[in-house]
Every structure is written in C-alpha cells, then in structure tokens.
Amino acid sequence: VIHGKELVEPIVIKLGGSVITIKEKPYTVNHDAIKRLSKIIFTNYSAGKRLVLVHGGGSFGHTAVSEISQRKGILDVIDVAFVQYKMLELATIITKAFIDEGIPVTLYPGHVLCRKSADCNFELLYEDLENGLVPMTYGDIVYGDRGYAIISGDDLAFWISSALGARKIYFVTSKPGVLDKEGQIIRRVTNIDQVSDLGIKGYDVTGGMKKKVHAALEYSSNHDVEIRILDIDGLEKVLGGGEAGSIIVDSQKRLVNRGRRK
Ligand SMILES: Nc1ncnc2c1ncn2[C@@H]1O[C@H](COP(=O)(O)OP(=O)(O)OP(=O)(O)O)[C@@H](O)[C@H]1O
Ligand SMILES: [Mg+2]
C-alpha cells in the first residue's frame, strides 16, 4: 500500500478486450458493451466504491501487433508508435463513453505507467484515486533497449492491485466465467489443470483465458484477494453484493498476514 495509507476497498476491474471490442473484427468497438459497463460502473462509483479500471487490447492492440509481426516479423519503433496510437484510440472511445455517463475517468496510457515488465510507477494514479477520480489504464506496448515488449492488461491489473492493496479484482470477459468442456462455469478454480483452452476468436498476443487463470492462481497464492472472471451481468451482480462468475483461488494458498504480501 503506497504511503502506508489504506484506501476504502479499491476494486480493480479489468475490462477485457473480448467484451469492449469485437475481437474477430479488426478495430471494432463493442459500443453496447461499453454503454452497459458505463452504467454499472457509474452506479457503483456513485455509491462510494473506489474503482480502478484497466482495459484490454481486443481487436485493436492484438490485431495491430499480430498483423505487423506477420508482415514484418518484428516491430520497429514506428510500429510500436502505431500500436500505441491504436490503443490510445480505443482508450479515448471508452473514456468518452464513461465521462458521458458521469464517471470521472482519468486516463493513463499503459506505457506511461510501466516500462518493460514490472517496472511501474502508480503514484499519480493512486493520488487521483484518493481524490475521487477513476483512474483507467490499458494493455500497451513499449520500446526499450531490447526491442519492443507488450504490457498485458491482465498483468497491469495484478501490478496495480498489488501496489494499491486491492482486495477484489474482477476480470470482465465475453464469457460468464471459466468454462469447462460442456460450457458450464467452473465456480471455483483452484488448479490450472481444471482449465482447458477452448480456443479464441480473432488474434491474441497475451495468452487468452488459460494464461489469465494461471496468472490469477499465482497472484492469489500470496495475496489476500478475491479474483473473479465473469461477464458484464456477473460484474453487475457481484458489485451489488451477489454471486457470479468463477472465483480463482490457489489451492496452495498460504497467507501469513491478511492483506500483506509474503
Ligand atoms: N475455458 C475457457 N473458458 C472461458 N473462455 C475461454 C476458455 N478457453 C478459451 N476461452 C476464450 O478466452 C476468451 C477470453 O480471453 P481473451 O484474452 O480473448 O479475452 P480478454 O482478456 O477479455 O481480452 P484482451 O486480452 O483483449 O483484454 C473468451 O472470450 C473465450 O473465447
Ligand atoms: Mg486476454
């Protein structure tokens, strides 16, 4: 927890690219989904919840990176600039929709918060959160001395949660949870072997559902946190105090102190 101060239950919500965009259609925003999310987020913000938002790349970031790497093999500075621009374009569309609904979103490009993998600074974001704004960032790309690196929105959500001591992290996706082969929601995922990769539509450069669950299991093993994977309906339910989606909790979870990192 930055500054040693404790925020009122910050909740980190990752708005998956699978829900805010139409993943199989290049550069296509899902306006209906963004509208629905804006209403839910506004309701909960108004009720006093402290929220931090992270959104994914969907058919913007993933498509741009995949198309360029298929064409050129490697991303150069100009390509990185282009991918950053496409992500900013998506981010501004979401920001506008949220502000129109009354959510005071303050936007931080992912490449402004983080370099390479975990080299991040969330001080400004924290200050904004304390002052009543709703910080939002997104999965992004950076260029460094060893070429380009993708900053996954899922990872950003975990890094921010860790820095801010969030106790709840919700991953909103196009699916109502982690599904088994029959399409049923696995209510409690405690081990990666429970999860089969059912494939995705469109491009994905950060690993999709299985990688998300893997990262969530790892994070839950040393943080006191409730991690859920759910869809928009599920988000509305759990923010309202109900039950929905899949809970991801490592079966080997060992906690020393509530809310403290080991
Ligand atoms: N077992 C599974 N349960 C649920 N979804 C699965 C499973 N296996 C694969 N998927 C696919 O994974 C997708 C979610 O992962 P994906 O990375 O595409 O979404 P996201 O993280 O919301 O998007 P982004 O990475 O752009 O933010 C779902 O839309 C679904 O098609
Ligand atoms: Mg993903």
Side-chain angles (χ1 to χ4, degrees):
V1 177
I2 298 171
H3 303 310
K5 277 193 268 176
E6 200 104 6
L7 272 175
V8 214
E9 300 246 323
I11 301 173
V12 173
I13 304 174
K14 156 84 193 311
L15 309 171
S18 65
V19 63
I20 53 166
T21 74
I22 299 165
K23 233 169 151 163
E24 60 271 35
K25 278 195 197 163
Y27 310 121
T28 312
V29 170
N30 188 335
H31 290 286
D32 290 347
I34 293 169
K35 186 84 188 160
R36 289 195 56 211
L37 285 165
S38 71
K39 290 182 187 300
I40 296 165
I41 291 165
F42 176 72
T43 302
N44 284 278
Y45 170 77
S46 303
K49 292 199 174 82
R50 297 294 185 106
L51 307 170
V52 178
L53 309 176
V54 180
H55 74 75
S59 68
F60 283 68
H62 293 289
T63 305
V65 170
S66 304
E67 283 183 353
I68 297 163
S69 40
Q70 275 168 26
R71 189 161 30 102
K72 297 177 66 176
I74 190 115
L75 277 73
D76 212 335
V77 277
I78 187 67
D79 307 310
V80 168
F82 176 74
V83 175
Q84 288 184 346
Y85 159 72
K86 291 311 279 183
M87 282 307 299
L88 184 60
E89 196 174 53
L90 172 60
T92 56
I93 292 168
I94 300 169
T95 302
K96 168 76 165 58
F98 284 8
I99 289 172
D100 283 350
E101 200 60 43
I103 309 161
V105 169
T106 179
L107 184 63
Y108 289 91
H111 66 265
V112 170
L113 295 175
C114 300
R115 293 284 133 169
K116 287 169 290 177
S117 36
D119 182 12
C120 308
N121 188 337
F122 300 121
E123 285 280 338
L124 295 173
L125 183 151
Y126 178 89
E127 267 176 39
D128 284 344
L129 183 62
E130 268 194 321
N131 291 323
L133 288 149
V134 176
M136 181 164 80
T137 184
Y138 53 83
D140 208 346
I141 190 167
V142 295
Y143 200 90
D145 47 16
R146 269 176 284 161
Y148 76 93
I150 289 163
I151 304 172
S152 130
D154 292 349
D155 287 345
L156 262 177
F158 289 121
W159 298 333
I160 291 172
S161 297
S162 184
L164 268 53
R167 296 263 166 80
K168 290 172 179 171
I169 315 175
Y170 299 142
F171 289 88
V172 187
T173 72
S174 60
K175 298 283 170 350
V178 182
L179 307 179
D180 63 21
K181 284 178 180 135
E182 281 71 50
Q184 298 296 307
I185 301 173
I186 309 171
R187 288 291 168 196
R188 211 177 149 81
V189 181
T190 56
N191 189 300
I192 196 67
D193 299 332
Q194 284 171 271
V195 185
S196 24
D197 196 333
L198 304 176
I200 54 144
K201 295 182 191 151
Y203 293 117
D204 193 278
V205 294
T206 49
M209 186 56 89
K210 194 152 185 177
K211 177 105 181 283
K212 194 192 297 294
V213 175
H214 196 273
L217 285 168
E218 175 150 345
Y219 187 86
S220 84
S221 74
N222 52 17
H223 293 82
D224 184 17
V225 65
E226 174 193 313
I227 304 172
R228 286 179 193 262
I229 296 174
L230 30 60
D231 61 9
I232 300 180
D233 289 334
L235 179 72
E236 186 166 28
K237 276 191 200 129
V238 296
L239 287 174
E243 193 48 52
S246 301
I247 290 195
I248 318 297
V249 55
D250 192 309
S251 51
Q252 305 297 305
K253 193 176 181 73
R254 348 159 251 275
L255 281 173
V256 183
N257 251 320
R258 202 181 139 74
R260 291 283 173 270
R261 282 232 268 172
K262 281 204 310 109

